[in-house]
Each structure stands twice: as structure tokens, then as C-alpha cells.
Amino acid sequence: GIDRDPAFDWSQVVVMTAADIPGENVVHLDHDDQPALASDEIRHHSEAVALVAAPDPATARAARAAISLRTEPLPAILDLLAAETAFARYEIAKGDLEAGFAEADLVVEGTYRVGPQEHIYIEPQAMIAAPTADGGISVTGSLQCPYYIHAALARALALPVEKVRVIQAETGGGFGGKEEYPSMLAIHASLLARAAGRPVRMTYDRHEDIAATTKRHSAVVRHRTGVAADGRLVAQDIDVIMDAGAYVTLSPVVLSRGALHATGPYRCPNVRVRARAVMTNTVPAGAVRGFGAPQTEFAAEVHLSRIAEALGISPAELRRRLAYRAGDITATGQVLKHSVAAVDVLERAEEASQFAEERARTARRAQEGDRTASGVGLALGWHGAGFTGS
């Protein structure tokens, strides 16, 4: 329940709840599961339940303090490994995994974890909504995808699309964080603006932005790799779990790209990648630069360096032996025909960083008992240019 303090003067304030939404209570995207305002159940700590607008910030804050919720605590799932609901699943398979492991001289296993990440764009999430003379709405905001907002507003406000106008202001930073989340602000500000009959500005402060908006998916990636004595990869079995948070948002697209890049840019005849994005009672995750690939590539690169260490081979040399070349076939069956520059890039990076010399110096210092943290790292990234998720 939502209770208002009867001692407060509500005459200067507009209050909206899910019951006041004229259209569908949904932030429309590919999967319509996220409500604009929670009604029966609150799935994460920053989920909006009611909206307040006032002529000035002080009155708005006072009204906010005069609203209280009646809630019943429910068991929360906060660990992605304990999650039982999967929003999306993908599997990639190539060759014969069992035959590959039977051929292996060495099997290396590893589990790699990455946490959520905040975009920290220059300006926080912000939106201005203004009613129009024809009964429609016009919104102006810091955003990346105006057509997402256009469709979401039409659904939530039950308006024909010609009465919805979306204007992208100069956007100093987005990085994926202003892809789908601005639809939430646009709906909230528009609901209040239409009820008040005047423009409403909604701006998150930095703390609110960090607490409530989508993040890079945290993930657990498990590798089990069969390796021949000469360093050839003969089998890769990879399991990817990403934390989608409380709602789907863009998780299927993020998970798809993560799965496609999970092997790293290395040839292997026998591969299986299993990936899933799971629901937890945390802030929903969304798109962040690279969306999905950084998580799985981090795991792939750390794991390959561990394989090099187990074989007693330089991590640069092992990558040189394994990196894709023209004519190679990826785990998804794509034949690489053009501009396969992995080895060229690797060798340029080795030369520019004096990788071998730095690595030798680091080893020498360690042998001499120098406990200063010093060293050099190496990773080889790849990134598909096409969009994913279909």
C-alpha cells in the first residue's frame, strides 16, 4: 500500500501511482516485463513506486517524505549463482568436445568473475516533458536512442505515435547507459507533466543515477580447456552466467555478444559455449561499451595466460601460435576471409611495449627478492562489427 500523510498540504503537489497510468504499465522494449511503476511487487531496491512533482524541489522533497509504503519483505536473490530464472540462453557448438578432450595432453580449468560497472557519463540521466496543445507530449533529454523512447511513451500514455515527440539534446556521454534507461525517465516525467498541465523536469543526482540505472552485467565465466603438448587448443568448454538483474532490458543482446566472443580470437576445432542471463533482485543490467564481450574476453585472456604458464611458454608466443589467421573458422562456423590482423597487431604491441624485455626484468627482480609490484600484461582482443542478438 501507499499512504499519504493527511497533515501535509497536497494542493501544490501532483502524485502518480501505477493506477494513474493511462496506457500499459510497461517500459516498452523487446521484452515488456519492466513496469513504469511497481504495483504488486517491488523487485529491486531502486524501483519506483510513486511519482511526485511540485513547483520547487523543497516542496517535492517534503511531499516525498510525506509518502510511506506498506510492504511485506520477500526472499531476495542477490547471488547470480543462486538464481533459478533465466531470461535468455545461447549455446554454440563446433566439432566433437569429448574427442577433443581425449586428445588433450593437459586440461586447464578456471573460474573468472567480473563485477558490475557504472558508466559515469558526464551528465546524469535527465528529461524534460511538456504537454502539447493537441493533447500529446514532447520530451527533451540526454539520450542515445530516441525511437526507443518514442515507442515506450506511446504505449504507456496510450497516445498515437504522431502525438509523441522526442528531442535528443546534446549528449555529453552515454556509453550504453542512455540507450534504454531514458525511456523510464521520459514516462515518469510525462505522466507528471500531463497531470500537472505544465512542463516537468526530472534530473537524477549522481547518487540516484548510480543507485538506480542499468550497469554492465556482472558475470561468472568458467573455462575447461584441453591443450596439446605443443600448445594447440583441442577442446574448449565454456560456461557463461551473466546477472541480468530484476528485468530483461537488453540482456539477450548482451549475452549473445558475450557468448560469441567467449572463445577469444583463437583457433580450436572442438568448442562448446553455454551462456545464460539470470534474474536476480538487483538493479537491472543493460548495455555498456562492448556489451557482453569485455566480460567473456577478460576470462578468455586470463585463462590463456594461465595455460601459457602451465606449458612454460611465453603468453605472447602462445597467442602467436593460436591467433586466428585468414581462412580459419570460428566457433560459430564463420570463415575469416578479410583483414585478419591478429598476429600483426600482436607483434606490433610486443615490439612497442618491449614485452619480452619487461617480462624478463620482472622475473629477474622476483628472483632477486624485490617485492615491488611490477610487471607487464598482455591480452589480444577481438570485436565483431555486426550487431548481435538475433
Side-chain angles (χ1 to χ4, degrees):
I2 302 171
D3 299 324
R4 302 190 203 184
D5 184 352
F8 183 80
D9 179 10
W10 296 98
S11 63
Q12 294 295 307
V13 177
V14 172
V15 179
M16 305 287 288
T17 68
D20 302 310
I21 296 174
E24 297 176 60
N25 183 15
V26 66
V27 182
H28 171 61
L29 201 60
D30 292 336
H31 301 267
D32 291 339
D33 69 326
Q34 185 171 18
L37 291 170
S39 53
D40 299 326
E41 182 180 5
I42 302 168
R43 283 204 198 173
H44 66 87
H45 73 91
S46 287
E47 189 163 18
V49 175
L51 305 172
V52 174
D56 60 84
T59 304
R61 292 190 188 101
R64 160 67 183 85
I67 296 176
S68 59
L69 301 182
R70 283 176 282 113
T71 60
E72 174 190 349
L74 300 173
I77 298 172
L78 303 176
D79 180 1
L80 80 168
L81 295 180
E84 297 179 350
T85 300
F87 287 141
R89 294 179 183 270
Y90 296 106
E91 182 165 337
I92 296 167
K94 172 190 174 185
D96 186 331
L97 199 64
E98 288 188 12
F101 278 112
E103 184 186 341
D105 296 304
L106 173 70
V107 175
V108 180
E109 299 186 43
T111 298
Y112 308 95
R113 296 171 180 263
V114 292
Q117 182 182 1
E118 163 65 22
H119 305 82
I120 299 289
Y121 23 65
I122 294 173
E123 69 267 328
Q125 300 275 355
M127 195 73 61
I128 296 172
T132 57
D134 63 356
I137 197 77
S138 175
V139 298
T140 303
S142 180
L143 52 100
Q144 290 178 257
C145 300
Y147 289 98
Y148 283 10
I149 297 170
H150 191 258
L153 281 175
R155 288 281 292 276
L157 301 182
L159 286 173
V161 291
E162 64 271 15
K163 290 190 176 184
V164 177
R165 187 180 185 205
V166 180
I167 303 167
Q168 179 177 1
E170 291 82 354
T171 301
F175 322 121
K178 290 177 181 171
E179 213 168 299
E180 89 290 343
Y181 196 84
S183 294
M184 182 76 77
L185 272 81
I187 293 171
H188 289 174
S190 296
L191 287 169
L192 291 167
R194 298 187 82 207
R198 58 191 292 182
V200 167
R201 178 178 62 196
M202 180 175 286
T203 304
Y204 284 11
D205 70 26
R206 185 61 70 183
H207 294 91
E208 290 170 328
D209 204 305
I210 292 172
T213 64
T214 52
K215 304 288 174 277
R216 190 187 294 282
H217 291 65
S218 60
V220 175
V221 185
R222 298 187 179 100
H223 277 254
R224 181 169 177 260
T225 308
V227 187
D230 60 3
R232 286 180 298 111
L233 302 183
V234 293
Q236 286 180 298
D237 192 9
I238 304 169
D239 184 64
V240 180
I241 309 172
M242 291 191 179
D243 187 348
Y247 297 103
V248 177
T249 71
L250 296 172
S251 290
V253 177
V254 174
L255 183 70
S256 171
R257 185 166 284 270
L260 290 169
H261 289 79
T263 63
Y266 308 111
R267 74 176 71 84
C268 181
N270 308 294
V271 178
R272 180 176 66 180
V273 178
R274 291 175 294 183
R276 65 189 188 275
V278 298
M279 188 196 89
T280 62
N281 295 114
T282 60
V283 171
V288 187
R289 289 285 180 174
F291 53 101
Q295 294 95 313
T296 57
E297 291 198 50
F298 166 77
E301 293 302 307
V302 175
H303 190 68
L304 198 72
S305 290
R306 289 187 58 223
I307 292 171
E309 186 176 8
L311 292 171
I313 301 174
S314 160
E317 175 56 30
L318 183 59
R319 284 170 171 82
R320 187 170 15 254
R321 296 181 191 180
L322 297 177
Y324 282 137
R325 290 168 167 79
D328 282 338
I329 302 173
T330 70
T332 59
Q334 180 181 356
V335 180
L336 300 176
K337 298 178 181 178
H338 308 289
S339 186
V340 185
V343 175
D344 294 336
V345 171
L346 174 65
E347 291 178 347
R348 292 282 186 90
E350 278 186 90
E351 182 182 350
S353 64
Q354 296 185 311
F355 178 77
E357 294 84 352
E358 283 294 329
R359 193 160 174 268
R361 274 195 288 271
T362 300
R364 191 162 56 249
R365 289 192 194 113
Q367 289 174 351
E368 293 169 354
D370 185 349
R371 297 183 60 81
T372 305
S374 176
V376 59
L378 178 68
L380 185 59
W382 67 320
H383 194 74
F387 200 64
T388 55
S390 61

